[in-house]
Short mmCIF file of all heavy atoms in Angstrom, two decimals:
data_model
loop_
_atom_site.label_atom_id
_atom_site.label_comp_id
_atom_site.label_asym_id
_atom_site.label_seq_id
_atom_site.Cartn_x
_atom_site.Cartn_y
_atom_site.Cartn_z
N ARG B 51 1.32 97.19 45.24
CA ARG B 51 2.20 95.98 45.19
C ARG B 51 3.33 96.05 46.17
O ARG B 51 4.11 96.96 46.15
CB ARG B 51 2.72 95.76 43.77
CG ARG B 51 3.02 94.31 43.41
CD ARG B 51 3.08 94.10 41.87
NE ARG B 51 1.77 94.31 41.25
CZ ARG B 51 1.60 94.86 40.00
NH1 ARG B 51 2.67 95.37 39.38
NH2 ARG B 51 0.42 95.00 39.45
N GLY B 52 3.37 95.06 47.04
CA GLY B 52 4.46 94.97 48.00
C GLY B 52 4.36 95.92 49.19
O GLY B 52 5.28 96.06 49.99
N THR B 53 3.25 96.64 49.35
CA THR B 53 3.11 97.66 50.41
C THR B 53 2.43 97.09 51.67
O THR B 53 2.46 97.75 52.65
CB THR B 53 2.31 98.84 49.94
OG1 THR B 53 0.95 98.43 49.65
CG2 THR B 53 2.90 99.50 48.72
N GLY B 54 1.78 96.00 51.56
CA GLY B 54 1.00 95.58 52.73
C GLY B 54 -0.49 95.80 52.58
O GLY B 54 -1.32 95.28 53.36
N PHE B 55 -0.83 96.74 51.76
CA PHE B 55 -2.30 96.89 51.49
C PHE B 55 -2.84 95.63 50.81
O PHE B 55 -2.35 95.26 49.74
CB PHE B 55 -2.62 98.16 50.64
CG PHE B 55 -2.49 99.45 51.38
CD1 PHE B 55 -1.34 100.20 51.25
CD2 PHE B 55 -3.43 99.83 52.23
CE1 PHE B 55 -1.22 101.43 51.97
CE2 PHE B 55 -3.38 101.01 52.95
CZ PHE B 55 -2.25 101.83 52.87
N ALA B 56 -3.84 95.05 51.40
CA ALA B 56 -4.31 93.75 50.91
C ALA B 56 -5.05 93.85 49.58
O ALA B 56 -5.08 92.86 48.85
CB ALA B 56 -5.15 93.02 52.01
N SER B 57 -5.65 94.99 49.26
CA SER B 57 -6.47 95.05 48.15
C SER B 57 -6.66 96.53 47.72
O SER B 57 -6.41 97.45 48.54
CB SER B 57 -7.88 94.44 48.46
OG SER B 57 -8.52 95.27 49.42
N PRO B 58 -7.11 96.78 46.54
CA PRO B 58 -7.38 98.22 46.19
C PRO B 58 -8.44 98.79 47.10
O PRO B 58 -8.32 99.97 47.49
CB PRO B 58 -7.97 98.09 44.76
CG PRO B 58 -7.37 96.81 44.20
CD PRO B 58 -7.25 95.90 45.34
N ALA B 59 -9.36 98.00 47.54
CA ALA B 59 -10.42 98.49 48.50
C ALA B 59 -9.75 99.07 49.77
O ALA B 59 -10.11 100.09 50.27
CB ALA B 59 -11.38 97.43 48.83
N ALA B 60 -8.81 98.29 50.27
CA ALA B 60 -8.16 98.68 51.56
C ALA B 60 -7.39 99.97 51.37
O ALA B 60 -7.36 100.93 52.24
CB ALA B 60 -7.16 97.58 52.02
N TYR B 61 -6.82 100.17 50.15
CA TYR B 61 -6.06 101.39 49.89
C TYR B 61 -6.91 102.62 49.67
O TYR B 61 -6.78 103.64 50.24
CB TYR B 61 -5.22 101.21 48.59
CG TYR B 61 -4.37 102.38 48.23
CD1 TYR B 61 -3.27 102.69 48.97
CD2 TYR B 61 -4.74 103.22 47.24
CE1 TYR B 61 -2.41 103.77 48.69
CE2 TYR B 61 -3.92 104.30 46.97
CZ TYR B 61 -2.80 104.60 47.64
OH TYR B 61 -2.06 105.72 47.41
N VAL B 62 -8.09 102.35 48.98
CA VAL B 62 -9.00 103.48 48.78
C VAL B 62 -9.67 103.89 50.06
O VAL B 62 -9.79 105.09 50.32
CB VAL B 62 -10.11 103.02 47.73
CG1 VAL B 62 -11.25 104.05 47.69
CG2 VAL B 62 -9.54 102.85 46.37
N GLU B 63 -9.97 102.94 50.95
CA GLU B 63 -10.56 103.25 52.24
C GLU B 63 -9.52 104.08 53.12
O GLU B 63 -9.87 105.04 53.68
CB GLU B 63 -10.85 101.99 53.02
CG GLU B 63 -11.40 102.15 54.43
CD GLU B 63 -11.70 100.93 55.09
OE1 GLU B 63 -12.56 100.12 54.58
OE2 GLU B 63 -11.12 100.70 56.15
N TYR B 64 -8.24 103.69 53.06
CA TYR B 64 -7.25 104.45 53.74
C TYR B 64 -7.09 105.86 53.25
O TYR B 64 -7.16 106.86 54.02
CB TYR B 64 -5.92 103.66 53.62
CG TYR B 64 -4.75 104.45 54.18
CD1 TYR B 64 -4.63 104.65 55.57
CD2 TYR B 64 -3.79 105.00 53.35
CE1 TYR B 64 -3.55 105.33 56.08
CE2 TYR B 64 -2.69 105.72 53.85
CZ TYR B 64 -2.63 105.87 55.25
OH TYR B 64 -1.54 106.58 55.75
N VAL B 65 -7.05 106.02 51.92
CA VAL B 65 -6.87 107.36 51.36
C VAL B 65 -8.04 108.24 51.69
O VAL B 65 -7.91 109.43 52.06
CB VAL B 65 -6.58 107.29 49.83
CG1 VAL B 65 -6.66 108.70 49.21
CG2 VAL B 65 -5.20 106.57 49.60
N LEU B 66 -9.26 107.70 51.44
CA LEU B 66 -10.41 108.55 51.68
C LEU B 66 -10.57 108.89 53.21
O LEU B 66 -10.96 110.04 53.55
CB LEU B 66 -11.69 107.83 51.25
CG LEU B 66 -11.86 107.75 49.73
CD1 LEU B 66 -13.15 107.08 49.36
CD2 LEU B 66 -11.82 109.15 49.06
N GLY B 67 -10.20 107.96 54.07
CA GLY B 67 -10.20 108.28 55.54
C GLY B 67 -9.29 109.43 55.85
O GLY B 67 -9.62 110.33 56.63
N GLU B 68 -8.10 109.44 55.18
CA GLU B 68 -7.13 110.52 55.43
C GLU B 68 -7.76 111.85 54.93
O GLU B 68 -7.66 112.83 55.61
CB GLU B 68 -5.92 110.29 54.59
CG GLU B 68 -5.15 109.00 54.96
CD GLU B 68 -3.94 109.34 55.71
OE1 GLU B 68 -3.13 110.16 55.19
OE2 GLU B 68 -3.69 108.80 56.79
N VAL B 69 -8.38 111.81 53.79
CA VAL B 69 -8.89 113.00 53.23
C VAL B 69 -10.04 113.58 54.07
O VAL B 69 -10.06 114.75 54.47
CB VAL B 69 -9.42 112.80 51.82
CG1 VAL B 69 -10.22 114.02 51.26
CG2 VAL B 69 -8.25 112.53 50.85
N LEU B 70 -10.92 112.67 54.58
CA LEU B 70 -12.08 113.10 55.29
C LEU B 70 -11.69 113.50 56.74
O LEU B 70 -12.40 114.34 57.31
CB LEU B 70 -13.13 112.02 55.31
CG LEU B 70 -13.75 111.78 53.96
CD1 LEU B 70 -14.67 110.56 54.00
CD2 LEU B 70 -14.61 112.98 53.48
N SER B 71 -10.60 113.05 57.28
CA SER B 71 -10.18 113.48 58.58
C SER B 71 -9.84 114.96 58.63
O SER B 71 -9.85 115.61 59.68
CB SER B 71 -8.90 112.72 59.03
OG SER B 71 -9.19 111.40 59.25
N ASP B 72 -9.54 115.50 57.54
CA ASP B 72 -9.23 116.91 57.43
C ASP B 72 -10.43 117.84 57.30
O ASP B 72 -10.31 119.07 57.31
CB ASP B 72 -8.27 117.15 56.18
CG ASP B 72 -7.15 118.08 56.58
OD1 ASP B 72 -7.08 118.47 57.76
OD2 ASP B 72 -6.37 118.42 55.69
N ASP B 73 -11.58 117.15 57.14
CA ASP B 73 -12.84 117.94 56.96
C ASP B 73 -13.14 118.68 58.23
O ASP B 73 -13.33 118.11 59.32
CB ASP B 73 -13.97 116.98 56.64
CG ASP B 73 -15.24 117.68 56.40
OD1 ASP B 73 -15.27 118.90 56.65
OD2 ASP B 73 -16.20 117.06 55.91
N PRO B 74 -13.15 120.02 58.27
CA PRO B 74 -13.27 120.72 59.50
C PRO B 74 -14.73 120.69 60.02
O PRO B 74 -15.03 121.09 61.15
CB PRO B 74 -12.92 122.20 59.10
CG PRO B 74 -13.24 122.30 57.68
CD PRO B 74 -13.00 120.89 57.10
N ASN B 75 -15.70 120.22 59.26
CA ASN B 75 -17.04 120.20 59.67
C ASN B 75 -17.67 118.88 59.42
O ASN B 75 -18.31 118.65 58.35
CB ASN B 75 -17.82 121.29 58.88
CG ASN B 75 -19.00 121.78 59.67
OD1 ASN B 75 -19.34 121.19 60.71
ND2 ASN B 75 -19.71 122.74 59.14
N PRO B 76 -17.51 117.87 60.31
CA PRO B 76 -17.79 116.51 60.03
C PRO B 76 -19.26 116.15 60.02
O PRO B 76 -19.58 114.95 60.04
CB PRO B 76 -16.98 115.77 61.07
CG PRO B 76 -16.99 116.64 62.21
CD PRO B 76 -17.06 118.01 61.70
N GLY B 77 -20.13 117.09 60.11
CA GLY B 77 -21.54 116.71 59.94
C GLY B 77 -22.32 116.73 61.29
O GLY B 77 -21.89 117.38 62.22
N ASP B 78 -23.34 115.96 61.31
CA ASP B 78 -24.35 116.17 62.34
C ASP B 78 -24.47 114.98 63.13
O ASP B 78 -25.45 114.19 63.10
CB ASP B 78 -25.69 116.52 61.62
CG ASP B 78 -25.99 115.51 60.48
OD1 ASP B 78 -25.10 114.70 60.22
OD2 ASP B 78 -27.06 115.59 59.93
N GLY B 79 -23.50 114.71 64.01
CA GLY B 79 -23.54 113.61 64.95
C GLY B 79 -24.69 113.80 65.95
O GLY B 79 -25.43 112.86 66.29
N PHE B 80 -24.92 115.03 66.41
CA PHE B 80 -25.90 115.30 67.45
C PHE B 80 -26.89 116.41 66.90
O PHE B 80 -26.48 117.30 66.19
CB PHE B 80 -25.28 115.85 68.66
CG PHE B 80 -24.30 114.82 69.33
CD1 PHE B 80 -22.91 114.89 69.09
CD2 PHE B 80 -24.82 113.86 70.17
CE1 PHE B 80 -22.08 113.98 69.63
CE2 PHE B 80 -23.96 112.95 70.77
CZ PHE B 80 -22.59 112.98 70.48
N SER B 81 -28.13 116.27 67.29
CA SER B 81 -29.11 117.32 66.99
C SER B 81 -28.77 118.53 67.84
O SER B 81 -28.03 118.39 68.81
CB SER B 81 -30.55 116.85 67.34
OG SER B 81 -30.66 116.82 68.71
N PRO B 82 -29.21 119.79 67.48
CA PRO B 82 -28.83 120.90 68.26
C PRO B 82 -29.26 120.82 69.72
O PRO B 82 -28.49 121.14 70.67
CB PRO B 82 -29.62 122.05 67.59
CG PRO B 82 -29.82 121.61 66.20
CD PRO B 82 -29.89 120.14 66.25
N GLU B 83 -30.42 120.22 70.01
CA GLU B 83 -30.83 120.07 71.41
C GLU B 83 -29.98 119.08 72.18
O GLU B 83 -29.54 119.25 73.32
CB GLU B 83 -32.31 119.54 71.51
CG GLU B 83 -33.36 120.34 70.70
CD GLU B 83 -33.39 119.90 69.17
OE1 GLU B 83 -33.81 118.74 69.03
OE2 GLU B 83 -33.00 120.62 68.35
N ASP B 84 -29.65 117.91 71.49
CA ASP B 84 -28.84 116.94 72.12
C ASP B 84 -27.44 117.48 72.36
O ASP B 84 -26.79 117.24 73.43
CB ASP B 84 -28.68 115.68 71.21
CG ASP B 84 -29.95 114.89 71.18
OD1 ASP B 84 -30.82 115.06 72.03
OD2 ASP B 84 -30.09 114.05 70.20
N GLU B 85 -26.98 118.35 71.43
CA GLU B 85 -25.65 118.92 71.52
C GLU B 85 -25.60 119.85 72.80
O GLU B 85 -24.61 119.79 73.54
CB GLU B 85 -25.36 119.78 70.31
CG GLU B 85 -24.11 120.56 70.31
CD GLU B 85 -22.91 119.86 69.67
OE1 GLU B 85 -23.14 119.06 68.72
OE2 GLU B 85 -21.75 120.06 70.13
N GLU B 86 -26.63 120.66 73.01
CA GLU B 86 -26.67 121.47 74.15
C GLU B 86 -26.69 120.73 75.47
O GLU B 86 -25.95 121.05 76.42
CB GLU B 86 -27.87 122.48 74.14
CG GLU B 86 -27.75 123.67 73.28
CD GLU B 86 -26.40 124.45 73.61
OE1 GLU B 86 -26.18 124.82 74.77
OE2 GLU B 86 -25.58 124.60 72.68
N ALA B 87 -27.49 119.68 75.53
CA ALA B 87 -27.58 118.84 76.71
C ALA B 87 -26.26 118.17 77.03
O ALA B 87 -25.75 118.08 78.15
CB ALA B 87 -28.65 117.79 76.58
N LEU B 88 -25.57 117.70 75.95
CA LEU B 88 -24.32 117.03 76.10
C LEU B 88 -23.25 118.01 76.57
O LEU B 88 -22.36 117.71 77.39
CB LEU B 88 -23.92 116.45 74.77
CG LEU B 88 -22.76 115.40 74.76
CD1 LEU B 88 -23.04 114.26 75.70
CD2 LEU B 88 -22.55 114.90 73.33
N LYS B 89 -23.25 119.25 76.01
CA LYS B 89 -22.31 120.27 76.43
C LYS B 89 -22.43 120.52 77.99
O LYS B 89 -21.44 120.60 78.64
CB LYS B 89 -22.65 121.58 75.74
CG LYS B 89 -21.60 121.99 74.69
CD LYS B 89 -22.04 123.11 73.85
CE LYS B 89 -21.90 124.45 74.57
NZ LYS B 89 -22.26 125.61 73.64
N GLU B 90 -23.59 120.58 78.48
CA GLU B 90 -23.86 120.80 79.88
C GLU B 90 -23.29 119.62 80.69
O GLU B 90 -22.66 119.80 81.71
CB GLU B 90 -25.32 121.02 80.22
CG GLU B 90 -25.84 122.40 79.83
CD GLU B 90 -24.83 123.56 80.25
OE1 GLU B 90 -24.49 123.59 81.43
OE2 GLU B 90 -24.36 124.26 79.36
N LYS B 91 -23.54 118.44 80.15
CA LYS B 91 -23.01 117.31 80.88
C LYS B 91 -21.46 117.23 80.87
O LYS B 91 -20.93 117.00 81.97
CB LYS B 91 -23.56 116.00 80.15
CG LYS B 91 -23.30 114.70 80.97
CD LYS B 91 -23.91 113.51 80.26
CE LYS B 91 -22.90 112.88 79.43
NZ LYS B 91 -23.27 111.57 79.00
N LEU B 92 -20.88 117.55 79.78
CA LEU B 92 -19.44 117.54 79.70
C LEU B 92 -18.86 118.63 80.53
O LEU B 92 -17.78 118.46 81.19
CB LEU B 92 -18.95 117.71 78.22
CG LEU B 92 -19.27 116.43 77.35
CD1 LEU B 92 -18.83 116.77 75.88
CD2 LEU B 92 -18.48 115.22 77.81
N ARG B 93 -19.53 119.74 80.58
CA ARG B 93 -19.10 120.86 81.49
C ARG B 93 -19.04 120.40 82.89
O ARG B 93 -18.14 120.67 83.64
CB ARG B 93 -20.05 122.09 81.24
CG ARG B 93 -19.42 123.39 81.54
CD ARG B 93 -20.37 124.55 81.38
NE ARG B 93 -20.74 124.86 80.04
CZ ARG B 93 -19.97 125.50 79.16
NH1 ARG B 93 -18.80 125.92 79.47
NH2 ARG B 93 -20.44 125.81 77.91
N ALA B 94 -20.16 119.75 83.32
CA ALA B 94 -20.30 119.33 84.71
C ALA B 94 -19.20 118.28 85.01
O ALA B 94 -18.75 118.24 86.19
CB ALA B 94 -21.68 118.64 84.96
N LEU B 95 -18.77 117.55 84.04
CA LEU B 95 -17.73 116.53 84.25
C LEU B 95 -16.35 117.15 84.23
O LEU B 95 -15.38 116.46 84.50
CB LEU B 95 -17.85 115.46 83.16
CG LEU B 95 -18.99 114.54 83.32
CD1 LEU B 95 -19.23 113.74 82.03
CD2 LEU B 95 -18.73 113.53 84.46
N GLY B 96 -16.25 118.40 83.81
CA GLY B 96 -14.93 119.02 83.83
C GLY B 96 -14.21 118.98 82.53
O GLY B 96 -13.04 119.38 82.40
N TYR B 97 -14.85 118.47 81.46
CA TYR B 97 -14.17 118.38 80.15
C TYR B 97 -14.19 119.70 79.37
O TYR B 97 -13.39 119.84 78.51
CB TYR B 97 -14.80 117.25 79.30
CG TYR B 97 -14.44 115.90 79.77
CD1 TYR B 97 -15.27 115.11 80.49
CD2 TYR B 97 -13.12 115.41 79.52
CE1 TYR B 97 -14.89 113.86 80.96
CE2 TYR B 97 -12.77 114.14 79.95
CZ TYR B 97 -13.67 113.38 80.69
OH TYR B 97 -13.31 112.20 81.14
#
Side-chain angles (χ1 to χ4, degrees):
Chain B
R51 204 161 293 140
T53 64
F55 283 102
S57 64
Y61 182 76
V62 170
E63 177 179 302
Y64 172 70
V65 171
L66 289 180
E68 298 254 308
V69 171
L70 292 172
S71 293
D72 223 5
D73 183 349
N75 204 356
D78 47 357
F80 298 96
S81 71
E83 309 84 68
D84 289 344
E85 175 95 31
E86 276 312 303
L88 193 58
K89 250 171 80 176
E90 283 316 303
K91 191 177 93 167
L92 291 174
R93 207 184 285 287
L95 286 165
Y97 286 102

